Amino acid sequence: QILSRAMSQPAVDGNYLVHNIKKKKSPQFEDYLNQRDYVGAITLLEFEHNTSEKGLDADLWLAYCAFHLGDYKRALKVGNTMIMKPECPSDVWIYLACTFFYLGLYKEAEEAALKGTPHPLTSHFSLLSFKDDNMLMGFHCKMMNAIEDQMSLASLHYMRCHFQEAIHICKQILLENKDYLAIYLYLALCYYKMEYYEISQQLVANYLQRFPHSLIACNLDACILFRLYGGKAAAAKLRHFLDMSSNYESDTTWLIRHNLVRIINNALACRI
């Protein structure tokens, strides 16, 4: 099993999630963010919380790091705490909508997106309520050529199992934006779903060269190995990834544990 809606680098740009955060953090914290070491960033935030007063700024950064780490439940918990405070910025609702989306709670995501002030992402969540192709095409005509709009459309195609359409959109974006590395991972997911495992494996391998600690990419790589070579190779990969992430538990690591158990059970069933 793979987590189809979760990506190593979410389609939501970090600027959307924290553009109202004014207070600058220490250089050490910024180093963690630049290295995408969200475990280290959360550890530092928790340390600062224990040694000084915690404010909304720290909560926003904590939710941001948890979100990018794949710990969507923790991000949601922090966000729900923030919206109870009168000084909470209205943009937190759109951040909550993103978190609901990655938890698969699409109705809640759409409702949360509509509660805050108008935001570039608000219309994207309206895609979740479309039930037929006519409604989708009507909204498609209203969309701009912005990358965020196009990637939202590609995401919807993916969820509706229109993988070829999603691939076409991603390839068009890559023609002018070859450094958008996360899109290569989205392509790998599409090819995996279409059972083009060798193509998917090459895309994932290229991504892992740049981001070797991406658990979503590692999990997809193990899924491909399972399809191509069987459970032994896939299990070895998953154990290695769990060792790398042993200091932090998230929805992503639980997914990998789930897949590892399935592989072991498969092997035991074959022996019996």
Side-chain angles (χ1 to χ4, degrees):
Q1 177 180 332
I2 62 174
L3 187 60
S4 61
R5 61 182 175 272
M7 303 302 174
S8 142
Q9 301 302 322
V12 181
D13 188 275
N15 291 330
Y16 281 143
L17 298 178
V18 294
H19 74 276
N20 265 352
I21 300 177
K22 303 298 184 181
K23 182 181 177 182
K24 290 186 177 181
K25 306 302 291 182
S26 65
Q28 186 178 9
F29 181 82
E30 292 177 356
D31 289 341
Y32 284 133
L33 292 185
N34 290 334
Q35 296 168 10
R36 300 184 182 180
D37 182 0
Y38 300 114
V39 174
I42 288 176
T43 302
L44 182 59
L45 286 170
E46 291 174 338
F47 173 78
E48 291 180 347
H49 170 52
N50 293 328
T51 57
S52 61
E53 184 178 352
K54 181 181 178 183
L56 282 175
D57 178 58
D59 285 332
L60 279 170
W61 278 117
L62 180 59
Y64 173 83
C65 292
F67 180 91
H68 281 271
L69 192 60
D71 193 349
Y72 306 118
K73 291 180 181 178
R74 184 173 187 179
L76 180 62
K77 182 179 179 180
V78 175
N80 282 332
T81 301
M82 292 181 63
I83 60 176
M84 301 300 294
K85 301 177 182 179
E87 68 273 23
C88 179
S90 60
D91 282 348
V92 170
W93 284 106
I94 201 69
Y95 310 155
L96 278 175
C98 296
T99 307
F100 279 128
F101 177 84
Y102 277 89
L103 286 169
L105 302 172
Y106 302 130
K107 181 179 179 181
E108 290 84 350
E110 185 179 8
E111 291 174 350
L114 295 173
K115 288 183 180 180
T117 54
H119 191 279
L121 283 177
T122 303
S123 61
H124 295 188
F125 287 100
S126 299
L127 287 166
L128 301 176
S129 63
F130 291 168
K131 305 300 182 184
D132 56 57
D133 291 337
N134 290 331
M135 296 177 69
L136 174 60
M137 291 308 299
F139 186 79
H140 187 196
C141 293
K142 298 178 182 178
M143 295 178 73
M144 306 295 290
N145 288 325
I147 292 176
E148 293 82 2
D149 290 345
Q150 293 303 309
M151 287 307 301
S152 292
L153 185 60
S155 176
L156 184 63
H157 279 309
Y158 179 89
M159 289 190 294
R160 292 162 66 91
C161 298
H162 299 167
F163 304 120
Q164 196 60 57
E165 289 84 347
I167 288 173
H168 176 73
I169 293 173
C170 290
K171 285 186 174 181
Q172 288 297 115
I173 294 174
L174 286 174
L175 287 176
E176 297 182 0
N177 304 278
K178 296 186 182 297
D179 57 334
Y180 285 13
L181 301 181
I183 298 180
Y184 292 98
L185 190 57
Y186 305 155
L187 282 173
L189 281 163
C190 291
Y191 282 118
Y192 177 87
K193 287 291 190 178
M194 296 173 68
E195 300 184 4
Y196 292 131
Y197 301 125
E198 290 83 0
I199 298 176
S200 182
Q201 186 179 44
Q202 184 60 52
L203 289 166
V204 173
N206 292 338
Y207 187 85
L208 285 172
Q209 285 182 357
R210 181 70 180 272
F211 304 111
H213 299 291
S214 169
L215 291 179
I216 295 298
C218 292
N219 181 63
L220 177 56
D221 192 27
C223 292
I224 296 169
L225 286 174
F226 180 81
R227 297 294 184 182
L228 292 176
Y229 306 112
K232 187 174 181 180
K237 281 282 186 182
L238 291 178
R239 290 192 180 97
H240 174 65
F241 305 149
L242 287 173
D243 289 341
M244 290 193 305
S245 58
S246 60
N247 58 341
Y248 194 85
E249 291 292 334
S250 70
D251 291 344
T252 307
T253 55
W254 280 111
L255 169 70
I256 292 176
R257 292 184 188 280
H258 166 76
N259 285 351
L260 181 57
V261 170
R262 288 190 65 184
I263 291 172
I264 295 172
N265 287 341
N266 231 1
L268 291 175
C270 291
R271 289 178 184 177
I272 294 172

